[in-house]
Amino acid sequence: MEYEAVIGLEIHSELKTKTKIFCGCETSFGAEQNTHVCPVCLGLPGVLPVVNKRVVEFAIKAGIALNCTINKFSKFDRKNYYYPDLPKNFQTSQFDLPIAEHGYVDINVDGRTKRIRVTRIHMEEDAGKLVHSGNTIKDSASSNVDYNRTGVPLIEIVSEPDMRTPEEARVYMEKVKSILEYIDVSNCKMEEGNLRADVNVSLRPEGTEKLGTKAEMKNINSFKMAENALEYEIDRQREILEDGGHIVQETRTWDDNKGMTLSMRTKEQAQDYRYMPEPDLVPIITTDEQIEVLKQSLPMLPDARKTKLMEEHGLSAYDAGIITNSRAMAEYFDDIICDGADVKLAANWLMGDLSKQLHAENKDIQNSPVSAKYLGKMIKLVEKGVISSKIAKEVFGEMWKTGAEPEAIVKEKGLVQITDTAAIEKIVDTVIADNPKPVADYKGGNVKSIGFLVGQVMKASKGKANPGTVNTLLKTKLV
Amino acid sequence: MKVSGKDVENVAGLSRLRITEDKMDKYLIEFNDFLEYVDMLQKVDTENVEPTAHVLPLQNVFREDEIKPSLDRDMALSNAPEKENGYFKVPRIIE
Ligand SMILES: [Zn+2]
């Protein structure tokens, strides 16, 4: 029997506010343990939480960007459970009236667009961090707790189980990250845990509707990990079903080192969170006008930007998709072409040499040693025929090293392309004289051998000859 | 009876409470009394009544996103039964 996987994601994203959701403690990452805590986030008796206005704004923005309906009446609830990373013994979250519901995200897999429905987005507080003193959790006699992260604002984005492959789940996660970055509500630094997902997966015979029993994997904090964990889990469940077994509903943990999922707890021990309305926080009422103001404040989102690059600049869907995946890259691209540099060349340089260099040196595009403006200037030098595209690589390397203007580099290094036909002709004559065999081959009908001759001329001119001129000259001389 | 001894044990477990055998009957009666009272409330006609999310007539109480001083760490840890290197120390946790 063929099985189909049914996958849903709960993405938790930390919001980039200066302070926590219910108190004025700083949210910055990496502070010394327990230095960003106060009576409110430590849950000391008698304190009153007050909602950070920006958290609500950010959550509404995320709701709009993910095509949700914003609930004009929203409230907080207590989710009760005992765990030492939660000083109050409950997490302040939202239960039945979340800030946003009924949205969707369109993803692109294998050139096809698929709509993934977003069930809801709610606001909640993050928990603290447990540090184990022994080598592994099992040989620690005790655990240490740092409450700096307790109360850092989160939004949880819950999807419908609309994904069918690990790849779709990864692409969905990437798309949500991209949108949150565009609207500037989260830093989305995976390595700092700004974005993590709980992944649900079940299998059912292909062509059937009824959902199978699912397993949940918590705290997946990279795209690759999500894809790997799902692949493993789907295989594991398929094997059990094929052997005639039953899937147990349970929470599993993904062990990235071992490359497998392990059982954490089964449903019998499952939590009963006993949600109750949070009596210390009053409801949040949002008006149509407020929603409209926030909507107007949003930048152009990845999909719209991609369409624009395709329609106005004629880029392919693939190129436009890569460039608009990150807002920083899309903005860099706009800056390259704003002074008239060729769009296609700009796309090639951005996705090619620049991305490669950035990747090699582990740099963000925002900190690129080559500015978009200079790259644009360099591309225009290529277009005008001042330098060849081969020389452009040298100029680019120099710009990367020194940050100098391309014109200055070309001038200083004498890299200007030789367009003077007489000068090139001389080199062409020498090459023809020195290479009787390829010349004879070409004359004998092997047109490919002209490539070798062009190469020789380019080499002799140290790449400065205009390849077009070289080609024409060779062809005329070899008739 | 709406609740069984098993329900009482479950609720006690969720609340990290240990219940002795001799208290079981007492809790059983009390739990049932509560739930019967709630049943009574459920009979009230609320057809045209807005659900109450909060008892106070207040809404939209916000603060600006401005940093306020946190507690001094020694102060933060001063009530902790155990501490270590600036951390709260707790019994080892295994699920
Ligand atoms: Zn605090």
Side-chain angles (χ1 to χ4, degrees):
Chain A
M1 197 185 318
E2 289 298 312
Y3 289 97
E4 168 184 69
V6 178
I7 302 166
L9 257 67
E10 292 164 16
I11 297 178
H12 296 83
S13 174
E14 277 184 0
L15 299 175
K16 62 189 269 194
T17 53
K18 291 203 282 267
T19 66
K20 293 186 178 181
I21 182 168
F22 301 124
C23 64
C25 289
E26 242 184 290
T27 52
S28 59
F29 182 79
E32 265 204 49
Q33 61 271 24
N34 294 309
T35 52
H36 291 172
V37 293
C38 75
V40 173
C41 55
L42 285 176
L44 300 188
V47 295
L48 260 190
V50 185
V51 180
N52 182 340
K53 200 174 173 180
R54 189 164 283 156
V55 171
V56 180
E57 279 174 17
F58 281 1
I60 294 176
K61 280 186 177 183
I64 299 169
L66 299 177
N67 307 296
C68 291
T69 309
I70 305 303
N71 277 331
K72 288 179 197 151
F73 186 99
S74 184
K75 69 176 177 69
F76 283 101
D77 300 273
R78 293 182 176 184
K79 180 180 182 180
N80 298 282
Y81 65 95
Y82 288 81
Y83 204 70
D85 64 3
L86 202 64
K88 296 183 293 189
N89 292 332
F90 61 82
Q91 179 190 29
T92 307
S93 180
Q94 297 198 283
F95 183 53
D96 56 337
L97 293 165
I99 191 74
E101 286 180 288
H102 314 306
Y104 63 85
V105 174
D106 286 334
I107 60 166
N108 244 292
V109 177
D110 294 333
R112 271 181 323 191
T113 302
K114 178 165 180 180
R115 180 156 293 185
I116 309 297
R117 289 168 298 159
V118 170
T119 317
R120 55 186 270 151
I121 301 176
H122 62 253
M123 301 177 281
E124 61 185 26
E125 58 185 340
D126 209 344
K129 209 172 80 189
L130 282 171
V131 182
H132 306 290
S133 48
N135 289 327
T136 67
I137 187 167
K138 292 221 160 107
D139 63 44
S140 295
S142 62
S143 300
N144 286 334
V145 198
D146 172 11
Y147 287 122
N148 282 349
R149 210 178 59 185
T150 302
V152 168
L154 292 176
I155 46 172
E156 178 173 330
I157 301 163
V158 183
S159 84
E160 290 291 316
D162 286 348
M163 287 151 276
R164 295 290 170 267
T165 63
E167 189 188 7
E168 285 180 8
R170 173 180 53 79
V171 174
Y172 166 76
M173 204 170 158
E174 285 171 352
K175 188 69 177 279
V176 169
K177 174 180 184 257
S178 165
I179 291 170
L180 295 179
E181 267 177 350
Y182 262 74
I183 63 172
D184 208 22
V185 301
S186 172
N187 284 319
C188 295
K189 285 192 186 142
M190 317 282 281
E191 67 280 10
E192 292 181 12
N194 291 163
L195 196 81
R196 25 189 222 269
D198 296 346
V199 180
N200 291 299
V201 59
S202 63
L203 258 54
R204 65 182 173 199
E206 218 157 70
T208 60
E209 286 294 314
K210 196 168 164 278
L211 291 172
T213 309
K214 69 181 178 185
E216 183 180 42
M217 290 166 287
K218 286 194 178 284
N219 277 327
I220 305 272
N221 61 8
S222 89
F223 302 132
K224 197 71 215 142
M225 219 191 268
E227 204 169 3
N228 291 345
L230 278 165
E231 263 158 21
Y232 177 89
E233 188 56 26
I234 289 168
D235 281 348
R236 186 188 72 88
Q237 293 188 16
R238 185 186 293 116
E239 270 174 37
I240 293 175
L241 292 173
E242 278 170 355
D243 288 350
H246 293 281
I247 307 294
V248 183
Q249 180 161 345
E250 61 184 345
T251 302
R252 297 180 71 83
T253 176
W254 170 249
D255 186 325
D256 210 34
N257 294 321
K258 291 200 183 106
M260 61 194 293
T261 62
L262 304 163
S263 182
M264 271 171 79
R265 60 172 175 250
T266 54
K267 202 196 172 190
E268 279 81 337
Q269 310 153 274
Q271 298 282 5
D272 174 354
Y273 293 123
R274 295 154 295 144
Y275 281 96
M276 58 173 273
E278 167 56 79
D280 288 342
L281 293 165
V282 298
I284 296 164
I285 315 290
T286 312
T287 63
D288 283 326
E289 291 72 32
Q290 286 167 324
I291 295 169
E292 194 51 36
V293 169
L294 289 169
K295 194 173 185 176
Q296 293 308 323
S297 76
L298 293 180
M300 193 184 271
L301 296 175
D303 283 344
R305 221 161 167 148
K306 180 179 167 189
T307 310
K308 189 172 168 227
L309 286 188
M310 290 165 67
E311 286 175 358
E312 286 180 19
H313 299 296
L315 286 188
S316 70
Y318 180 79
D319 290 359
I322 290 184
I323 290 170
T324 55
N325 190 29
S326 105
R327 182 178 173 184
M329 195 164 178
E331 282 172 354
Y332 190 99
F333 182 76
D334 283 354
D335 290 344
I336 306 179
I337 61 169
C338 71
D339 287 326
D342 180 74
V343 173
K344 197 81 206 145
L345 284 175
N348 290 344
W349 276 97
L350 176 55
M351 296 186 299
D353 293 62
L354 183 73
S355 292
K356 246 182 262 158
Q357 268 310 108
L358 289 170
H359 189 74
E361 296 189 17
N362 208 4
K363 282 192 162 87
D364 288 333
I365 197 160
Q366 291 98 312
N367 308 316
S368 168
V370 175
S371 70
K373 205 173 157 192
Y374 283 6
L375 187 54
K377 280 186 175 184
M378 191 201 78
I379 289 168
K380 277 162 85 178
L381 291 178
V382 177
E383 282 179 76
K384 280 191 238 149
V386 177
I387 54 173
S388 65
S389 47
K390 199 167 166 230
I391 290 293
K393 296 217 180 236
E394 200 179 329
V395 174
F396 178 81
E398 200 58 28
M399 283 163 66
W400 183 273
K401 263 193 281 177
T402 62
E405 266 205 289
E407 290 95 334
I409 295 169
V410 168
K411 223 173 180 180
E412 192 193 315
K413 304 220 152 205
L415 297 173
V416 177
Q417 179 164 250
I418 310 169
T419 41
D420 173 9
T421 316
I424 300 175
E425 210 174 339
K426 241 192 221 165
I427 306 173
V428 167
D429 288 341
T430 320
V431 168
I432 290 176
D434 290 350
N435 296 282
K437 173 133 201 322
V439 169
D441 287 350
Y442 178 77
K443 285 186 174 165
N446 183 0
V447 282
K448 275 190 197 155
S449 63
I450 200 164
F452 173 79
L453 296 167
V454 172
Q456 291 302 305
V457 177
M458 293 307 292
K459 205 170 147 192
S461 74
K462 297 196 173 67
K464 285 189 281 180
N466 179 315
T469 318
V470 175
N471 227 313
T472 323
L473 276 172
L474 274 168
K475 279 186 183 156
T476 350
K477 284 178 182 280
L478 295 177
V479 176
Chain B
M1 291 287 245
K2 294 177 75 79
V3 267
S4 65
K6 230 179 146 155
D7 294 324
V8 175
E9 273 167 17
N10 182 40
V11 171
L14 288 169
S15 310
R16 299 291 192 270
L17 295 173
R18 211 169 282 129
I19 294 186
T20 51
E21 203 52 47
D22 57 313
K23 292 275 170 63
M24 185 54 95
D25 285 345
K26 178 173 143 60
Y27 287 132
L28 261 180
I29 291 163
E30 284 182 5
F31 273 39
N32 275 302
D33 285 350
F34 284 141
L35 291 177
E36 272 161 31
Y37 178 64
V38 172
D39 270 349
M40 213 161 83
L41 290 178
Q42 298 281 34
K43 290 195 186 106
V44 178
D45 178 11
T46 55
E47 182 72 19
N48 297 310
V49 182
E50 283 271 317
T52 305
H54 201 276
V55 291
L56 299 175
L58 281 174
Q59 60 192 45
N60 293 346
V61 178
F62 297 123
R63 38 171 271 275
E64 295 301 318
D65 185 23
E66 282 162 11
I67 297 169
K68 294 274 152 58
S70 292
L71 278 180
D72 183 71
R73 187 162 69 192
D74 289 338
M75 180 72 98
L77 289 162
S78 59
N79 282 328
E82 280 192 86
K83 55 204 141 190
E84 189 173 271
N85 301 326
Y87 289 102
F88 290 83
K89 191 173 177 181
V90 298
R92 132 182 115 144
I93 300 302
I94 295 181
E95 294 224 15

